[in-house]
Amino acid sequence: MQPRQNDYFKLAEPGVKHLFALEGAFKNGPLEPKLLHLVKLRASQINSCVFCIHLHTTEALKDGEEPMRLYLLTGWREATIYSRRERAALAWTEALTNVAQTGAPDEDWALIEEAFTAEERSWLSLAIGAINLWNRIQVGFRATHPA
C-alpha cells in the first residue's frame, strides 16, 4: 500500500498541534496509561489502522503491558485477563467506535457508570473520540507502519 500524501501533518499543522496537545493532556488526566493503551489499540483494530496498531502496541509494551493481553485483545469478551474496569472501557470503545451501528447503547453506558467516575467517563469518551480521529487521518492517507 502506498501513502496517499506524506505532508498532511505539516499542511494542517495548526490543527494537528492541537491533537498532539490533547494527547499530552491524556498523560496528565485521570485514566491509567495501560487502560488508555488498550482503548487506543482496540479502536485502531476495529478501524484497521495499521499505523496506530503498531504505535499503540509498541507503546503498551514499552509501558510494561503483558504481551498476552495485547494478543487477546480482539477476543476480550471471552478472555478472563481483563478487569471489570477494562472490560467496561473496551465495551464503550467498541460502542463509540461503531456508533453508527450501535447508537452507544444504555447497557454499555451502565458498565462505565459502574466502573468510572463522571470525570473519568468524560476523559474516556474524549480518548475514544481522539483515537478514532487519528485512525481516520492515518487510514485516509494510507500511513504506513515502520515495522
Side-chain angles (χ1 to χ4, degrees):
M1 182 178 332
Q2 292 295 318
R4 289 183 169 153
Q5 185 175 315
N6 291 317
D7 56 353
Y8 52 96
F9 278 2
K10 182 179 178 195
L11 292 170
E13 187 175 351
V16 172
K17 91 175 171 185
H18 292 291
L19 292 176
F20 280 111
L22 179 58
E23 291 301 320
F26 292 132
K27 290 182 171 126
N28 298 316
L31 299 174
E32 56 273 22
K34 284 187 177 185
L35 179 80
L36 285 171
H37 288 313
L38 292 176
V39 164
K40 291 176 180 184
L41 181 54
R42 184 64 192 122
S44 298
Q45 290 170 336
I46 293 166
N47 291 320
S48 299
C49 182
V50 296
F51 181 91
C52 294
I53 290 168
H54 180 274
L55 174 69
H56 297 298
T57 300
T58 302
E59 287 181 348
L61 291 169
K62 184 175 145 189
D63 284 348
E65 183 59 86
E66 295 293 324
M68 187 56 64
R69 289 168 41 87
L70 302 178
Y71 301 151
L72 296 179
L73 189 56
T74 58
W76 68 268
R77 291 181 189 273
E78 289 77 32
T80 59
I81 60 176
Y82 303 101
S83 70
R84 182 177 67 89
R85 181 175 166 89
E86 290 167 338
R87 297 172 81 72
L90 291 168
W92 194 236
T93 299
E94 290 185 358
L96 292 187
T97 299
N98 295 311
V99 72
Q101 292 81 32
T102 69
D106 291 338
E107 301 81 35
D108 292 335
W109 177 254
L111 293 173
I112 67 162
E113 267 191 318
E114 292 172 11
F116 293 88
T117 67
E119 179 187 19
E120 290 170 331
R121 290 190 300 268
S122 298
W123 280 94
L124 177 62
S125 298
L126 187 61
I128 295 165
I131 189 57
N132 275 281
L133 175 56
W134 283 115
N135 290 166
R136 280 148 181 76
I137 293 167
Q138 301 294 53
V139 170
F141 284 107
R142 300 288 190 256
T144 57
H145 58 85

